[in-house]
Each structure stands twice: as C-alpha cells, then as structure tokens.
C-alpha cells in the first residue's frame, strides 16, 4: 500500500496539472476574447457593457453562403459606433457652448444623451450630471450608440423622442428572436436576453432621430415653442412605408434569409431566420472619409477594410436607394427649349434628411452642337462649392431660366428676427424646407406640424403632387433654355449632388476659433471631401433647323434599320468625330479622326435593340440621324 506521502505527491501532481489546464484555458479564453473584440473596449458600468463584451460572442456570424456578417465588425465603422468621436459634432457643439456659456451643463447633458448614451444614462442612473470632460475618459461613453443601449430601451420608452430614453435597470436585453437560449449570456455577462417586437420598431430609432430643441433668445430666456432640428421618424410616419410594412430597420438593418447562428455559444446553437445585419448606413460619406484619414487620432475602433465596407454601403444607399431622376423634353421652338426634370424620392423619409446642414442641389447643363454652353445652373466651383451658392439662400423654384438660379433642396433655419442662422440654439422657425417628401406624404397627416413644407415649395403645384393629388414623393422642375439659330442638337445633362455640410455652415464653425473647430478644420482641409453625385440623367434635343449642319445629301448611311453593321460613306476629307447616343443622351460609342468611309459593328460594341442618335461632327458643323438597331 502506498503511504500518505505517495498519495500527497500524486495529489499535488493532479492539482498542478489542473492548475496548468485552468491557466491554459483562461489564457486561451483571454486570447480568443482579444481576437474577437479586436480593439473594441471591454468592461461594465452599472447599466451597460462595452461593445467588446458583446463582441466576445456576437462577432462570428456568417451568412448561409459562408460570408462574414459579424455584428460588431459591421457596426464598429458606422456613425452609430463613432457618434461620440464625430469631430464635426464636437466642433458644432463647441461653437454653441462658446456662444451660450450659461447653458453649458444643459447643452452637454442633452447632446451626450444621443451621442454618448452609455455614459450619459449611467450617470443619470447614479444621480450625476454628464459632461464632455467625463465622456472623454469614459470608455462606454466613447463607445457611441452601442449594443446594450439600444437593446435595453424598454417598450414603455416607445413614443418618447429627443433623447428621452427609458433604460431598463434589470439587465434585460431585448431581441428580435423568440425563445432565446439565455443561459450563456446570463452566466458570462449578467444580462438576460428576452424577445420583444419593439426592437424592430421605427419608434426605437425615433428616440434620438426626432429632436426638438428650444431656442435661447436674445434676452437669455428659452423660447416657449420648440424647433424641429430633425424628424426622420415622423417623416417616415407620414409616408406609405408604414402601410407597406417597411420600418427604419428595413433599410438600415437589412435582413437576410437564414439560418444564421447569432452567437457562438453554445456551439450547437441553432440558426435563426431573418437575421438583421448591423450596417446602420446613412448618407454621411464625408465623415466616413474623415474617420478613414484620421482613425488613430480619433480613436476609431475599426480598420481600413471595415471603414471601406461602410463607405461602399453608404454609396449604394445614396445612389441606388434614395433618388431617381429623369429628364423629359417638353417643347422647343426657334427661341426656347423647355425641359422637365422629375425627381422621385425612393427613401422612407425626406431627401435630404437629418441634421439641417445637409442638402442636395441640381446641376443642369445645356450644350449645343457647336460646343457652346446655353445654360449651366449649379456649376461646380473649387472648394466643393457651386455657382449660385450665395450668402442669401436660394428660394425653391418651379421654373429656372437663368444660370444663377439653382434648385437646392434643404432646410434653412431662422432666428427670432426671421434671419437665417446656422446656430441651432438660435433657431426658432424654418425659413425654407423644400426637402423632397417620401411617397404618401400628406399635409393632412397628424404629424404634419412636425414635418411641414415651408416656403415656395408649399405653393408649387408640382411638388409632392401628381395631377393635383398629394403624396407623389416627387418634384417636377422646369428648365427654360434660350436657343439660337444653328444651335442644332442640344445635349442636356442633370446631376443631383448630396453634401453633408455647406460652406456657410463650415465657415461659421471655422470662424469660431474653438479648439475643436480648429482640429476639425485641419481634418476637413486634409480630406477635401467632394459632394456625392446621387443621380444623373441626360437627353438630346433635336431640331429641324438647318443652319451650320453638314449637308445630308453627300453622306451615305446604310442599312438603316440595321441588324448590327452600319456603313458610313462620303464623309468630307476632313477628320470627323462620330458619336452614338441613346435617346436618353448616354454616349455609347465614340470614334475620332474618321476620313471618308467607316463601317461600325454595333453588336460588337455590345449595343441592344433600340433607337440611337448618330452625331457626326467636323469643322464646327454637325450631322444628326436616328439609327434603328433591330
């Protein structure tokens, strides 16, 4: 029989082995945790967990096709994740604080409720105030609009706006899936997942994305009325989207067909259908560029690939899911060419929407066959400006007949004297709001007082109306172009640009001289963000006039109609340029320095059946012919 000492040695050996295993498992767990969180903050306060704690289990999702759709990785490069680090927001608030020092505590408390809610509401829970100084040393405050904030907003909080949130205090995490397997989350984090449909409600987003503010008047008092700084939820509510079952999350948290495992614990967890991808993209490509260029300086917890993914999603949102435009020729005589531009909002809220510095404008260009510019409204200028962007704002137009008239879709804030202002805490009433409403928008809706059309657009029979009936979600704008003898065919091009912040807003920030505005100006100058083209359309206006046209008798063009091969004969012995356009004005073929004869193979150029416009130009003269491809 072994003695006590022998058993002691064996016991010590087992104990040592178990300690080594335990240490190795703990070390592996820490390494795995660091790998999954990849720089996201970890830790807890009384109400919230930092995003890294959630990423520990919720950052390994893959689509049924095997593509990574990791929750934390998709979220971390968005404006939501970086709301507290946004240098434009910080600069703008610093200007408001400089102008209104007596309201510092109120401003900081209100602004951080939506931009740093994890820190703000925890401080409120503890009976404390919350300042920018506290936020800058608070990892959960700097975590932005993060997981445990949105998923702890209670059902009772729905319908409260302006950052007035009811946050649960029993660590219940509301999710979109019934019968959650909650034990791992409860054991690892102390939070318990439960199902509630309100997590997919637009009202949840409206908690912050409808913001009403009071103006600080010249006598130092607060206005009795509220200014609607933004009202994205109520714009959505006053649209056809609710009836169609399309919430905010329908576009901004797009769902995919499952099954998708929403957590990696336990390993045998079943997949769920209709998984919501945490893309949270809007239109702010400008700030994505700043984040990318200054990620280390700003402390952005996302890498270049993740930021680029968010950039691509924003671009698709702006260019594919926001606006459609179409040019249409109305009439032409010897003096005037009249063209209508139809702009159709295909989003679920106004375009543009959100913070009042955002705007869209139309660049309209008319060029005749000789190359002369007949009209250029909204022509781009250096430093991301455009002709006609004056200190005095442009009105809403129904008809534009001069190049210095520019259609700008925007909200202009007015102070208590009715003067234009870019200072939010001076804003009393909008002076102009011609942002294009969504489909179904009506001035009879209960929310209309919050989302009014203001200014000349309210009198425009073609604004949000189709044959006099409200709710088209569109605007029809007429351009009247002066033509001259010999103008020939006129190429019309329209482009709609989106811009996060205008030059006037920028200048008011830069002129303030605050530390935050100086920092932001340096980032802005380095990035030099160009406006984004949202949509474009073009057409060719033809004419029966003959002045300065190439003689039609000399040129042979056959066969027409053609099944693909087109012969052109008897061109003058001068180098000609041959261009083929669709009837909407898109150039699909261009051949330069053609002399005498040429044969074109339209099928080889990838052209489909249809009608095209052939333009032959040389020596400042032009020849036009419709080509039918069968």
């Amino acid at each position: 029989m072994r003695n006590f000492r022998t058993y002691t040695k064996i016991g010590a050996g087992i104990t040592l082995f178990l300690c080594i295993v335990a240490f190795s498992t703990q070390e592996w767990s820490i390494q795995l945790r660091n790998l999954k969180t990849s720089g996201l903050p970890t830790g807890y306060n009384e109400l919230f967990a930092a995003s890294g704690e959630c990423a520990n289990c919720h950052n390994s999702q893959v689509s049924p096709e095997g593509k990574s759709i990791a929750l934390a990785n998709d979220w971390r490069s968005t404006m939501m994740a970086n709301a507290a680090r946004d240098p434009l927001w910080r600069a703008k608030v610093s200007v408001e604080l400089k102008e209104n020092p007596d309201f510092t505590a109120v401003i900081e408390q209100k602004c951080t409720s939506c931009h740093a809610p994890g820190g703000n509401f925890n401080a409120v829970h503890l009976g404390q105030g919350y300042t920018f100084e506290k936020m800058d040393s608070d990892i959960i405050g700097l975590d932005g609009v993060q997981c445990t904030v949105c998923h702890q907003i209670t059902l009772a909080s729905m319908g409260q706006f302006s950052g007035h949130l009811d946050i649960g205090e029993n660590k219940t995490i509301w999710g979109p899936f019934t019968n959650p397997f909650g034990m791992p989350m409860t054991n690892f984090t102390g939070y318990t997942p439960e199902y509630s449909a309100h997590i997919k409600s637009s009202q949840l987003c409206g908690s912050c994305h409808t913001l009403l503010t009071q103006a600080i008047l010249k006598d130092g008092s607060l206005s009795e009325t509220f200014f609607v700084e933004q009202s994205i939820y109520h714009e959505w509510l006053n649209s056809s989207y609710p009836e169609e079952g399309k919430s905010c999350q329908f576009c901004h948290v797009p769902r995919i067909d499952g099954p998708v495992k929403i957590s990696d614990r336990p390993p045998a967890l079943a997949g769920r259908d209709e998984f919501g991808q945490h893309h949270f993209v809007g239109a702010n490509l400008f700030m994505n560029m700043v984040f990318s260029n200054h990620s280390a300086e700003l402390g952005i917890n996302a890498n270049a690939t993740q930021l680029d993914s968010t950039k691509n999603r924003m671009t698709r949102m702006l260019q594919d899911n926001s606006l459609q435009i179409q040019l249409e020729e109305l009439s032409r005589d010897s003096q005037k060419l009249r063209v209508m531009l139809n702009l159709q909002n295909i989003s679920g809220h106004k375009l543009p929407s959100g913070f009042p510095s955002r705007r869209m404008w139309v660049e309209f260009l008319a060029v005749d066959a000789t190359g002369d510019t007949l009209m250029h409204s909204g022509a781009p200028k250096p430093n991301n400006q455009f002709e006609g962007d004056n200190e005095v704002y442009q009105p809403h137009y129904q008809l534009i007949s001069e190049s210095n008239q520019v259609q700008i879709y925007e909200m202009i804030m007015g102070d208590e004297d009715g003067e234009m202002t870019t200072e939010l805490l001076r804003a009393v009433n909008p002076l102009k709001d011609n942002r294009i409403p969504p489909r179904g928008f009506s001035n009879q809706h209960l929310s209309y007082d919050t989302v009014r059309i203001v200014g000349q657009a309210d009198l425009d029979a073609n604004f949000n109306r189709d044959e006099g009936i409200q709710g088209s979600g569109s605007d029809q704008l007429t351009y009247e172009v002066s033509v001259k003898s010999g103008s020939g065919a006129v190429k019309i091009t329209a482009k709609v640009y989106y811009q996060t912040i205008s030059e006037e807003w920028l200048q008011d920030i830069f002129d303030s001289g605050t530390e935050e505005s100086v920092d932001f100006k340096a980032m802005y100058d380095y990035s030099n963000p160009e406006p984004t083209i949202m949509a474009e359309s073009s057409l060719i206006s033809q004419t029966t006039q003959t002045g300065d046209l190439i003689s039609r008798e000399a040129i042979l063009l056959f066969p027409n109609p053609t099944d693909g091969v087109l012969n052109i004969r008897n061109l003058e012995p001068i180098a000609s340029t041959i261009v083929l356009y669709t009837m909407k004005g898109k150039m699909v073929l261009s051949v330069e320095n053609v002399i005498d004869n040429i044969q074109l193979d339209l099928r080889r150029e990838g052209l489909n059946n249809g009608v095209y416009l052939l333009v032959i130009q040389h020596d400042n003269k032009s020849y036009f012919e419709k080509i039918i491809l069968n």
Side-chain angles (χ1 to χ4, degrees):
M1 179 179 290
R2 293 173 179 171
N3 59 29
F4 176 76
R5 182 175 296 179
T6 302
Y7 280 106
T8 301
K9 288 181 178 179
I10 293 173
I14 293 173
T15 302
L16 177 62
F17 172 76
L18 291 175
C19 288
I20 291 172
V21 171
F23 175 77
S24 300
T25 302
Q26 183 182 33
E27 183 180 37
W28 175 83
S29 178
I30 291 171
Q31 290 175 348
L32 181 62
R33 172 197 184 105
N34 291 338
L35 177 65
K36 289 182 177 180
T37 61
S38 301
L40 291 173
T42 57
Y44 297 82
N45 58 26
E46 281 72 7
L47 294 179
F48 305 102
S51 56
E53 302 293 344
C54 304
N56 195 35
C57 291
H58 293 291
N59 204 30
S60 58
Q61 294 77 23
V62 293
S63 70
E65 297 76 29
K67 178 184 176 183
S68 174
I69 50 174
L71 284 169
N73 284 350
D74 281 350
W75 162 84
R76 67 197 301 167
S77 50
T78 66
M79 290 301 302
M80 300 276 280
N82 298 290
R85 304 178 188 273
D86 178 351
L88 171 55
W89 169 68
R90 284 174 170 257
K92 189 70 182 78
V93 174
S94 74
V95 176
E96 303 277 353
L97 290 171
K98 180 180 179 180
E99 295 296 322
N100 306 286
D102 293 340
F103 290 86
T104 295
V106 174
I107 294 171
E108 292 188 337
Q109 185 72 26
K110 171 55 67 178
C111 292
T112 56
S113 67
C114 284
H115 281 259
N120 179 293
F121 285 95
N122 191 68
V124 171
H125 173 69
L126 297 175
Q128 303 169 359
Y130 198 68
T131 64
F132 272 44
E133 183 179 4
K134 287 185 178 180
M135 179 184 70
D136 285 337
S137 60
D138 179 5
I139 60 168
I140 295 182
L142 291 173
D143 213 14
V145 185
Q146 48 101 289
C147 325
T148 54
V149 170
C150 293
H151 287 275
Q152 284 192 101
I153 299 175
T154 67
L155 176 62
S157 187
M158 297 300 94
Q160 297 181 177
F161 308 110
S162 299
H164 297 295
L165 308 179
D166 285 339
I167 300 293
E169 298 180 2
N170 60 354
K171 298 209 169 182
T172 299
I173 295 292
W174 306 107
F177 298 117
T178 57
N179 302 316
F181 186 75
M183 185 174 62
M185 182 184 287
T186 303
N187 289 342
F188 275 96
T189 68
Y191 293 94
T192 301
E194 292 189 15
Y195 164 75
S196 181
H198 82 274
I199 199 69
K200 297 191 289 185
S201 165
S202 291
Q203 282 188 322
L204 186 79
C205 308
S207 300
C208 283
H209 288 291
T210 290
L211 177 60
L212 309 180
T213 60
Q214 287 177 278
I216 300 173
L217 304 177
K218 289 185 290 187
D219 62 7
S221 65
L222 291 175
S223 62
E224 295 182 1
T225 59
F226 287 85
F227 178 78
V228 183
E229 184 255 35
Q230 61 178 279
S231 55
I232 303 176
Y233 167 73
H234 289 84
E235 293 164 12
W236 168 85
L237 196 63
N238 189 353
S239 78
S240 60
Y241 274 60
E243 291 184 2
E244 295 171 4
K246 297 177 180 178
S247 67
C248 301
Q249 292 88 334
F250 180 84
C251 293
H252 300 281
V253 188
R255 282 169 167 72
I256 62 173
D257 293 333
V260 174
K261 286 181 62 174
I262 63 174
S263 173
D264 61 8
R265 300 182 190 181
L269 190 69
R272 298 282 195 159
D273 290 327
E274 295 191 351
F275 172 81
Q277 300 174 94
H278 284 35
H279 290 176
F280 295 119
V281 294
N284 203 344
L285 276 165
F286 156 58
M287 194 51 60
N288 176 270
M289 181 187 300
V290 173
F291 289 165
S292 298
N293 291 337
H294 302 276
S295 58
E297 180 182 349
L298 294 171
I300 306 298
N301 291 312
N303 61 36
T305 300
Q306 292 155 355
L307 286 162
D308 198 50
S309 293
T310 294
K311 172 188 174 182
N312 292 336
R313 290 165 186 155
M314 285 181 172
T315 302
R316 289 195 297 270
M317 182 72 76
L318 268 174
Q319 297 182 340
D320 299 340
N321 299 301
S322 298
L323 180 70
Q324 293 174 342
I325 68 172
Q326 184 66 55
L327 283 165
E328 176 187 352
E329 182 174 341
L330 298 178
S331 64
R332 180 170 177 176
D333 55 34
S334 61
Q335 295 181 322
K336 300 290 183 182
L337 165 63
R338 296 168 185 84
V339 177
M340 177 175 286
L341 177 64
N342 185 74
L343 303 99
Q344 180 65 56
N345 182 352
I346 57 172
S347 77
H349 45 68
K350 288 185 178 183
L351 279 182
S353 191
F355 193 68
S357 69
R358 302 174 178 185
R359 63 181 183 174
M360 303 185 312
W361 79 87
V362 181
E363 178 191 8
F364 179 90
L365 175 62
V367 179
D368 69 12
T370 68
D372 288 343
T373 298
L374 304 180
M375 179 187 286
H376 199 175
S377 166
K381 291 169 56 179
N383 299 322
N384 309 313
Q385 300 182 57
F386 55 93
E387 296 288 349
D389 187 18
N390 306 318
E391 291 185 5
V392 178
Y393 64 91
Q394 293 259 4
H396 172 83
Y397 292 100
Q398 299 181 54
L399 171 69
I400 287 181
S401 57
E402 303 289 341
S403 290
N404 61 359
Q405 299 171 329
V406 186
Q407 187 76 308
I408 308 174
Y409 296 98
E410 60 188 344
M411 193 249 274
I412 298 293
M413 304 190 305
D415 63 17
E416 61 184 299
D417 295 324
E419 298 294 328
M420 177 181 174
T421 182
T422 63
E423 191 175 339
L424 179 61
L425 294 179
R426 294 287 183 265
V428 175
N429 285 301
L431 303 179
K432 170 190 176 184
D433 189 348
N434 69 333
R435 296 173 297 170
I436 304 175
R439 285 183 296 105
F441 187 91
S442 170
N443 61 13
Q444 300 301 308
H445 194 274
L446 289 175
S447 70
Y448 184 72
D449 61 338
T450 306
V451 293
R452 293 181 297 141
I453 298 169
V454 179
Q456 293 299 313
D458 195 33
L459 305 175
D460 184 348
N462 291 321
F463 188 81
N464 191 44
R465 290 178 175 86
D466 184 9
E467 297 182 355
I469 300 175
Q470 287 190 78
S472 67
S474 65
D475 185 28
Q476 292 180 326
L477 174 63
T478 300
Y479 288 86
E480 189 174 78
V481 182
S482 296
V483 293
K484 56 189 177 183
S485 176
S487 288
V490 177
K491 173 73 178 292
I492 305 290
T493 304
K495 298 178 182 179
V496 178
Y497 293 83
Y498 172 86
Q499 189 175 50
T500 295
I501 184 166
S502 69
E503 178 65 21
E504 182 151 357
W505 278 76
L506 284 170
Q507 206 55 54
D508 287 349
I509 292 174
F510 297 160
D511 289 346
S512 70
T514 65
E515 181 180 348
E516 293 83 357
S517 67
V518 171
D519 290 343
F520 172 62
K521 185 178 189 305
M523 296 179 195
Y524 179 88
D525 290 342
Y526 180 86
S527 298
N528 190 29
E530 295 182 354
T532 304
I533 297 176
M534 298 178 66
E536 54 186 306
S537 179
S538 57
L539 63 79
I540 300 288
S541 170
Q542 300 183 69
T543 178
T544 57
Q545 300 179 56
T546 58
D548 293 328
L549 299 182
I550 298 173
S551 171
R552 301 176 66 88
E553 297 178 359
I555 294 178
L556 295 177
L557 191 150
F558 63 93
N560 187 23
T562 176
D563 60 1
V565 174
L566 183 66
N567 297 286
I568 303 174
R569 300 285 187 268
N570 298 341
L571 295 176
E572 294 187 20
I574 303 173
S576 300
T577 298
I578 298 175
V579 184
L580 195 66
Y581 296 94
T582 67
M583 294 310 292
K584 291 184 178 180
K586 180 181 179 181
M587 185 177 70
V588 292
L589 176 65
S590 178
V591 184
E592 297 182 354
N593 299 318
V594 180
I595 297 176
D596 195 21
N597 302 324
I598 190 173
Q599 184 180 81
L600 302 176
D601 190 337
L602 304 184
R603 294 297 184 192
R604 182 175 296 176
E605 298 296 334
L607 301 184
N608 298 320
N609 291 347
V611 181
Y612 297 85
L613 178 66
L614 179 76
V615 181
I616 302 174
Q617 294 178 317
H618 68 243
D619 195 25
N620 293 322
K621 296 182 180 180
S622 301
Y623 170 93
F624 304 91
E625 190 69 57
K626 283 185 179 179
I627 303 298
I628 301 174
L629 179 59
N630 288 330

